[in-house]
């Protein structure tokens, strides 16, 4: 397996840029930002560039931005009072290191050469450094030089920063690799060497699964009595030029021909409608043969992965579920937790956004990708640091670390968490994830997985080792928060997607499952809300009108709440306690409904008489969470009838200022057994009376 070849430049001038995380010779104690400074003068760069030092040329010719460009930003602009000036300068020092605060229009002509011509600058006090990012938490594990900086030691201020930064990694056999854990991206994803490594990962984890043995104590073995209803049987043809031979294998009809054979499951993005899928018309012919050439690219390469690993059966939803048969589809979707839980391995083409895309292609660095080799000072982990050696790190163009498409989809979270082993093919690395190893193993790039805003769980284990109810409940709702940021093609699948995970938690919690929540937690979690940036309104309201669940279901909120009297579920399938529900689920509460006195619906303002404030009138802020105050889902200028809306107070506190949160609910009549549904949230902002 060969890493991507960058041919990093190195010369005698580059060797002066020693990266020393623990002892920068010029770093002053007043600097609080994570930075490293080089024992190189700015005035030395032109000479190095004239001597063909590519690193010096890159520094001199890159766009740099003066600190004055940040002085006019909101919250930084100087006030008339000179007492503000020191704080303003501190704010500029901070803001100019934030990439999102950079001026929008690049100025390529703005380079360090301009500073060299500035006769007012004291060349002896000007030093060159880099603003660093240590993603793993280790102070010596540099992920990036986020930008380079020019600092005036006389004023202790950064006066220039580069617009662009550089990515950092170390070669595996270099002394710096002990400190810098990012590795070069492997170029040949599907090479023989690559699959030899994957086979070692599989063997180290699974041992001999044919005989029900696993080497990792935390990684479960498949049930010897379970197989999915259908599998795709794979056979390598006699010659390398001929395509693999595939057929649909129905396990119940052939129970006498096989035991619980190892199989792989596929977790992937459909990316739209699949034309090549199992139908009643294809069932008979597929029992004899499935044409490999007809498969879309993702499925073709999943077959290749299985054959290279010696796995002869593959489960793919499009090929193993009769997509046009509602009964078959319902039965098989309900069984999906067992399908993934009992697989030997789940193949996850994380980089493919659609089934038509390949995922075993050659990796490439973006653009021309200049690269530079700089010395890195390594110190022994123990002792006084006197044991030192110079290693090397490679700096290359910053790589855009976007989230892989698979990690944005709802169904794939359950598929990954229920699977004992996942083989993930990402845009920058191939990663092994199992229940025992966290964060897993990889062939290059980052040891830590890229999470990007929490839309991906960082643990291979579903339920923590603690059997305490409080900890397990916390883990569950944290996982719901991760899941809720993912996308679904069918919003009506929202509760169903978590059914397999809920079943696992149910075995630990020993509590009644209540439409995505647990009965013992309802008083504290009914105040859930949706962040609009993650769940747009169109996704909350199912476009096909399919029922998703009761309006009062989902996410945590601490505090005193109403008395929970009971819960009446309406399951679509009585055998699936953790599955989908039908319209008519009801939660029985005892609490005071507070009438709403509207002020301005467009500004989400209202007044309410709070029980927590001794009956005081309070101004409330209404949050709609993608739902709407209007009766028909239209303009807020035409709201529901005022007498239809009430506030159900979930948490309140009295005193000199009233505080409270709760649900905005709507009903149609006032009586002791009023039926209401949630249409939003409220928070008390100010005591008016």
């Amino acid at each position: 397996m060969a890493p991507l070849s960058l041919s990093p430049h190195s010369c005698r001038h580059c060797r002066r840029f020693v990266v020393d995380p623990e002892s920068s010779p010029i770093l002053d104690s007043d600097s609080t930002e994570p930075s490293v400074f080089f024992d190189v003068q700015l005035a030395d760069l032109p000479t190095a560039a004239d001597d063909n030092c590519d690193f010096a040329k890159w520094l001199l010719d890159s766009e740099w931005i003066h600190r004055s460009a940040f002085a006019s930003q909101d919250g930084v602009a100087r006030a008339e009072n000179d007492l503000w000036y020191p704080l303003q300068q501190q704010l500029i020092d901070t803001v100019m290191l934030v990439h999102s605060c950079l001026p929008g229009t690049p100025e390529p002509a703005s380079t360090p050469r301009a500073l060299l011509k500035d006769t007012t600058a004291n060349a002896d006090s000007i030093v060159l450094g880099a603003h660093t990012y240590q993603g793993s938490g280790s102070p010596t594990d540099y992920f990036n030089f986020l930008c380079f900086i020019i600092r005036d030691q006389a004023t202790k201020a950064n006066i220039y920063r580069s617009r662009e930064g550089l990515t950092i990694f170390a070669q595996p056999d270099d002394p710096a690799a002990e400190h810098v854990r990012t590795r070069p991206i492997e170029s040949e994803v599907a090479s023989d060497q690559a699959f030899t490594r994957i086979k070692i990962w599989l063997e180290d984890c699974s041992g001999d699964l044919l005989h029900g043995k696993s080497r990792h104590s935390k990684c479960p073995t498949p049930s010897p009595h379970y197989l999915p209803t259908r599998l795709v049987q794979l056979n390598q043809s006699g010659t390398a030029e001929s395509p693999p031979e595939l057929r649909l294998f129905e396990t119940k009809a052939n129970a006498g021909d096989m035991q619980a054979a190892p199989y792989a499951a596929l977790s992937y993005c459909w990316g739209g409608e699949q034309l090549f899928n199992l139908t009643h018309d294809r069932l008979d012919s597929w029992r004899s043969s499935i044409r490999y050439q007809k498969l879309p690219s993702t499925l073709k390469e999943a077959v290749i992965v299985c054959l290279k690993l010696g796995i002869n059966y593959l489960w793919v939803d499009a090929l193993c579920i009769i997509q046009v048969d509602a009964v078959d589809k319902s039965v098989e979707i309900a069984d999906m937790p067992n399908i993934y839980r009992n697989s030997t391995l789940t193949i996850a083409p994380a980089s493919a956004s659609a089934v038509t895309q390949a995922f075993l292609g050659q990796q490439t660095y973006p653009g021309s990708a200049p690269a530079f080799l700089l010395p890195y000072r390594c110190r022994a982990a123990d002792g006084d640091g006197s044991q030192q050696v110079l290693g090397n790190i490679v700096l290359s163009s910053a790589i855009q670390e976007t989230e892989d498409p698979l990690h944005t989809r709802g169904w794939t979270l359950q598929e990954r968490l229920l699977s004992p082993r996942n083989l993930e093919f990402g845009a920058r690395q191939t990663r092994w994830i199992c229940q025992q190893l966290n964060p897993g193993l990889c062939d290059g790039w980052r040891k830590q997985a890229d999470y990007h805003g929490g839309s991906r769980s960082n643990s291979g284990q579903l339920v923590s080792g603690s059997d305490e109810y409080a900890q397990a409940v916390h883990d569950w709702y944290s996982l719901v928060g991760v899941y809720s940021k993912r996308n679904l093609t069918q919003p009506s699948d929202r509760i169903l997607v978590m059914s397999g995970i809920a079943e696992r938690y149910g075995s630990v919690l020993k509590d009644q499952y209540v439409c995505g929540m647990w009965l013992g937690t309802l008083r504290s979690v009914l105040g859930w809300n949706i962040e609009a940036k993650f769940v747009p309104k169109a996704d909350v309201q199912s476009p096909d009108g399919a029922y998703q669940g009761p309006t009062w279901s989902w996410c945590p909120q601490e505090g005193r709440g109403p008395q929970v009297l009971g819960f009446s579920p309406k399951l679509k399938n009585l055998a699936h306690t953790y599955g989908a529900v039908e319209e008519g689920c009801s939660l029985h509460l005892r609490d005071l409904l507070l009438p709403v006195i509207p002020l301005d619906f467009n500004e989400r303002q209202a007044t309410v008489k709070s029980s927590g404030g001794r009956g005081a009138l309070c101004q409330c802020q209404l949050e709609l969470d993608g739902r709407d105050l209007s009766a028909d889902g239209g303009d807020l200028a035409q709201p529901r009838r005022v007498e239809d809306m009430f506030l159900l107070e979930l948490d309140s506190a009295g005193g000199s200022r009233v505080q409270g949160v709760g649900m905005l609910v709507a009903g149609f009549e006032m009586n002791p057994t009023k039926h209401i549904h949630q249409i939003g949230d409220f928070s008390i902002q100010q005591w008016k009376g």
Side-chain angles (χ1 to χ4, degrees), residues 231-250:
L231 289 167
V232 178
Q233 188 177 40
L234 318 173
N235 289 299
Q236 184 66 61
S237 57
T239 63
E241 294 77 16
S242 301
E245 298 173 353
L246 317 178
R247 75 181 184 101
L248 188 66
F249 193 88
E250 295 175 297

Side-chain angles (χ1 to χ4, degrees), residues 442-463:
C442 59
D443 62 351
W445 193 234
R446 301 273 162 78
K447 183 177 181 180
Q448 291 288 129
D450 299 328
Y451 301 136
H452 295 99
S455 62
R456 167 182 178 182
S457 172
N458 63 355
S459 174
Q461 296 182 344
L462 274 180
V463 187

Side-chain angles (χ1 to χ4, degrees), residues 473-490:
V473 161
H474 177 271
D475 292 346
W476 163 260
Y477 287 117
S478 297
L479 193 58
V480 169
V482 172
Y483 160 67
S484 66
K485 296 178 177 66
R486 294 188 172 215
N487 302 319
L488 289 170
T489 302
Q490 298 294 334

Side-chain angles (χ1 to χ4, degrees), residues 28-345:
D28 63 273
S29 59
D30 293 337
S31 178
T32 58
E33 298 295 336
S35 302
V36 60
F37 286 83
F38 307 108
D39 194 8
V40 177
Q41 297 293 321
L42 182 64
D44 297 337
L45 294 183
T47 301
D50 291 341
D51 198 23
N52 291 319
C53 175
D54 289 346
F55 186 48
K57 291 179 182 178
W58 187 88
L59 291 170
L60 284 173
D61 296 332
S62 297
E63 181 194 359
W64 290 60
I65 304 167
H66 192 267
R67 68 183 289 111
S68 60
F70 300 90
S72 60
Q73 298 207 14
D74 292 341
V76 180
R78 181 180 176 182
E80 294 297 326
N81 190 340
D82 284 342
L83 293 176
W84 171 254
Y85 184 75
L87 178 59
Q88 180 204 37
Q89 297 307 304
Q90 294 178 27
L91 287 173
I92 292 175
D93 284 337
T94 299
V95 169
M96 70 183 299
L97 296 179
V98 179
H99 190 78
S100 60
C101 294
L102 293 178
T105 304
E107 297 183 16
S110 177
T111 70
R113 298 183 191 274
L115 181 60
L116 291 168
K117 297 176 182 178
D118 184 358
T119 57
T120 63
N122 184 357
D124 292 336
S125 68
I126 301 298
V127 296
L128 186 66
H131 178 44
T132 62
Y133 171 61
Q134 294 91 338
S136 67
S138 168
T140 62
D141 184 12
Y142 292 156
F143 275 22
N144 303 88
F145 284 161
L146 296 176
C147 66
F148 290 86
I149 53 179
I150 294 174
R151 184 173 177 84
D152 187 343
Q153 289 296 93
T155 61
K156 297 182 179 179
N158 298 329
I159 53 178
Y160 277 90
R161 64 151 288 171
S162 63
R163 180 178 288 273
E164 301 298 333
L166 294 172
T167 294
I168 302 171
F169 57 83
Q171 298 288 355
D173 55 353
D174 191 278
E178 185 176 343
H179 305 273
V180 177
R181 299 176 185 176
T182 303
R183 299 290 176 262
I185 296 175
E186 294 288 349
S187 60
E188 300 291 342
V189 179
S191 67
D192 290 340
Q193 295 92 331
F195 276 98
T196 296
R197 173 178 287 180
I198 295 171
K199 286 180 181 178
I200 293 173
W201 292 343
L202 178 59
E203 174 63 22
D204 287 347
C205 174
S206 63
D208 186 3
L209 287 180
L210 284 172
H211 297 90
K213 297 178 181 178
S214 175
R215 293 187 177 181
H216 284 169
S217 60
K218 294 182 180 179
C219 297
T221 58
S223 168
H225 308 294
Y226 176 83
L227 279 174
T229 304
R230 305 178 188 94
L231 289 167
V232 178
Q233 188 177 40
L234 318 173
N235 289 299
Q236 184 66 61
S237 57
T239 63
E241 294 77 16
S242 301
E245 298 173 353
L246 317 178
R247 75 181 184 101
L248 188 66
F249 193 88
E250 295 175 297
T251 59
K252 293 181 180 178
N254 297 275
D257 299 337
M258 61 183 300
Q259 296 178 340
Y263 66 91
L266 185 65
S267 177
Y268 66 111
C269 294
W270 276 41
E273 184 180 0
Q274 283 203 55
L275 299 179
F276 193 72
N277 55 50
L278 181 59
T279 63
H280 287 291
D281 293 339
R282 292 171 175 162
L283 193 56
D284 286 338
S285 62
W286 280 19
R287 288 177 180 133
S288 300
S289 176
I290 301 173
R291 292 189 63 187
Y292 175 80
Q293 296 91 333
K294 289 281 189 179
L295 296 179
S297 296
T298 296
L299 305 192
K300 282 182 179 177
E301 295 194 344
V303 170
I304 292 173
V305 171
C306 287
L307 292 175
K308 283 183 173 288
L309 296 179
I311 298 174
N312 295 323
Y313 294 92
L314 173 65
W315 187 88
V316 183
D317 54 2
L319 306 183
C320 299
I321 300 176
I322 304 175
Q323 297 296 319
V324 296
D325 188 324
V327 175
D328 189 73
K329 195 172 182 178
S330 175
V331 170
E332 294 303 314
I333 287 178
D335 196 41
M336 281 174 64
N338 288 323
I339 292 172
Y340 284 95
R341 186 182 297 124
N342 287 283
S343 66
T344 295
L345 178 71

Side-chain angles (χ1 to χ4, degrees), residues 613-658:
R614 302 177 302 281
L617 288 178
C618 302
Q619 181 175 310
C620 296
Q621 181 75 26
L622 306 178
E623 299 291 342
L624 302 186
D625 289 353
R627 287 153 289 178
D628 206 73
L629 280 174
S630 62
D632 58 359
D635 193 338
L636 284 177
Q638 300 294 327
R640 295 176 182 270
R641 295 185 310 165
V642 173
E643 57 266 29
D644 289 344
M645 293 185 296
F646 303 89
L647 302 183
L648 178 63
E649 199 169 37
L650 299 178
D651 185 18
S652 66
S656 60
R657 291 186 62 83
V658 175

